[in-house]
Amino acid sequence: MSAAPAVPNSQNPRKIEFYDLDATALTEPGRKLLREYSGIPEAEINSHVEAMRIKAFQVCPYPCIGMFQFLDLSLMSTPVYEEVLARIKKGDKFLDLGCCLGQEIRQLVADGAPSANTYGSDLYGGLIDVGYDLFKDRDRLQTTFIAADVFDDKSPLVALAGQVDIIYTGAFFHLFGIEEQEKVAARVVQLLAPKPGSMVIGRQSGHEEAGEFGRAGDKSGRKHFRHNPQSWKALWDRVGERTGSKWSVEADLKMREYTLAELEGKSEAIRRKMTGMGLRFVVRRL
Ligand SMILES: C[S@@+](CC[C@H](N)C(=O)[O-])C[C@H]1O[C@@H](n2cnc3c(N)ncnc32)[C@H](O)[C@@H]1O
């Protein structure tokens, strides 16, 4: 396992602008998962989720954690969900790359995917741990979780090279600049089974004009790159050339990045973030 990264200062998470929401903003799919998969009574959901948000924010104060994105289920709303589910049931290996608390894996398992065929990987093992507490499934979930830096060539994640059939990645590529994104895409190529039909599905911030942007709340000065469908396809063409592989890319900017709904009276930062368009994509190996 790679060395644990330093935990950012999160002494007072409530100072962070993205924290200006309470759990009443949670929509039904996330609530249903907690009721039916985790067995949490509806009356206890808001307080449980708020307690988990504090725990997760103490590991790493991502805006998406402040905004309860860890219960914003995206994969189930994609046109390939039934295909993904059927393939995992038949034995395909599924990896959520940058899984955070692992909500997409829990939804698949709630819908009948054998958890032993699922993998989740994140930089912070602490977030994976909060995921078990959020979903109350430490004693039954057989997912293999791997704490690893996606850029680390020697991490335990790389031991899965060539073995994964389907990768989901949500709100992940957009954390990085274009050169780093190409490295992440090359890692995806390395992890996927080298055969037609291997696929990567996901969503992330997007924009009609592709380019670098500053992420709200990020004071690090790091560069982040936001794609439109054309630039996303071009990235996969370049990575295909570099890795000797070919990829078909479906991508659009038709949906909002986040589906949580309650925006009334919320901070400008939250409104901007939640009404921003998301790039949704399905990339298949030819
Ligand atoms: C914005 S969150 C998105 C979480 C989740 N996929 C979702 O859609 O809700 C990005 C996740 O990527 C993880 N991450 C950031 N840098 C990483 C890296 N270098 N390697 C692996 N994971 C990383 C973070 O810890 C965080 O959990």
Side-chain angles (χ1 to χ4, degrees):
M1 189 179 293
S2 49
V7 173
N9 179 10
S10 54
Q11 290 307 303
N12 186 356
R14 285 200 177 271
K15 275 191 181 157
I16 307 223
E17 54 192 349
F18 294 105
Y19 219 80
D20 178 30
L21 279 180
D22 62 43
T24 57
L26 287 176
T27 48
E28 179 55 16
R31 290 184 180 278
K32 184 166 184 259
L33 186 61
L34 290 175
R35 273 193 318 267
E36 296 182 5
Y37 171 79
S38 306
I40 301 169
E42 179 62 39
E44 292 171 23
I45 285 181
N46 289 356
S47 57
H48 176 64
V49 167
E50 295 210 13
M52 294 301 113
R53 178 172 66 164
I54 289 171
K55 270 188 161 185
F57 222 70
Q58 282 165 352
V59 178
C60 186
Y62 277 109
C64 66
I65 291 173
M67 296 190 300
F68 300 107
Q69 195 189 339
F70 56 83
L71 281 165
D72 186 12
L73 296 154
S74 145
L75 183 54
M76 66 191 291
S77 69
T78 66
V80 292
Y81 188 64
E82 291 306 321
E83 176 192 341
V84 169
L85 199 51
R87 285 175 58 171
I88 304 171
K89 284 182 184 172
K90 279 197 194 140
D92 270 15
K93 287 186 174 166
F94 171 93
L95 166 69
D96 185 342
L97 184 63
C99 64
C100 199
L101 306 197
Q103 73 271 22
E104 303 290 353
I105 290 172
R106 269 57 177 219
Q107 183 64 52
L108 285 163
V109 173
D111 287 337
S115 60
N117 296 345
T118 65
Y119 296 76
S121 182
D122 200 277
L123 185 58
Y124 295 105
L127 293 178
I128 292 167
D129 217 41
V130 178
Y132 284 123
D133 294 341
L134 172 66
F135 293 106
K136 296 186 181 285
D137 59 2
R138 199 182 290 269
D139 54 346
R140 61 192 157 108
L141 190 73
Q142 291 177 54
T143 301
T144 302
F145 284 108
I146 302 167
D149 182 344
V150 72
F151 299 107
D152 180 354
D153 291 326
K154 297 197 172 74
S155 85
L157 180 63
V158 177
L160 289 181
Q163 296 177 44
V164 181
D165 301 287
I166 303 168
I167 292 180
Y168 173 81
T169 180
F172 187 59
F173 275 80
H174 70 204
L175 299 174
F176 309 111
I178 191 71
E179 283 161 22
E180 288 172 304
Q181 288 191 19
E182 290 195 20
K183 288 186 186 154
V184 177
R187 177 75 71 219
V188 165
V189 174
Q190 180 190 31
L191 292 171
L192 285 174
K195 60 179 189 202
S198 292
M199 68 200 283
V200 51
I201 309 149
R203 64 145 170 197
Q204 61 209 26
S205 300
H207 203 268
E208 278 160 19
E209 271 177 48
E212 277 176 355
F213 71 108
R215 291 196 69 72
D218 183 349
K219 315 265 188 291
S220 71
R222 289 180 56 166
K223 298 273 192 331
H224 310 274
F225 193 95
R226 212 158 40 180
H227 288 276
N228 60 23
Q230 295 74 28
S231 68
W232 183 240
K233 182 173 183 323
L235 180 145
W236 283 93
D237 286 346
R238 289 195 301 279
V239 171
E241 245 171 60
R242 211 170 109 191
T243 56
S245 55
K246 277 202 162 23
W247 302 85
S248 82
V249 176
E250 291 165 45
D252 67 58
L253 275 173
K254 290 183 194 145
M255 287 172 78
R256 278 173 29 183
E257 184 183 354
Y258 294 93
T259 61
L260 297 184
E262 187 47 66
L263 296 175
E264 191 122 344
K266 298 306 171 204
S267 70
E268 173 55 26
I270 286 186
R271 293 172 71 85
R272 202 174 49 238
K273 184 99 181 120
M274 286 208 173
T275 52
M277 297 312 279
L279 183 86
R280 303 208 170 216
F281 55 86
V282 178
V283 181
R284 289 178 197 263
R285 187 162 181 148
L286 295 171

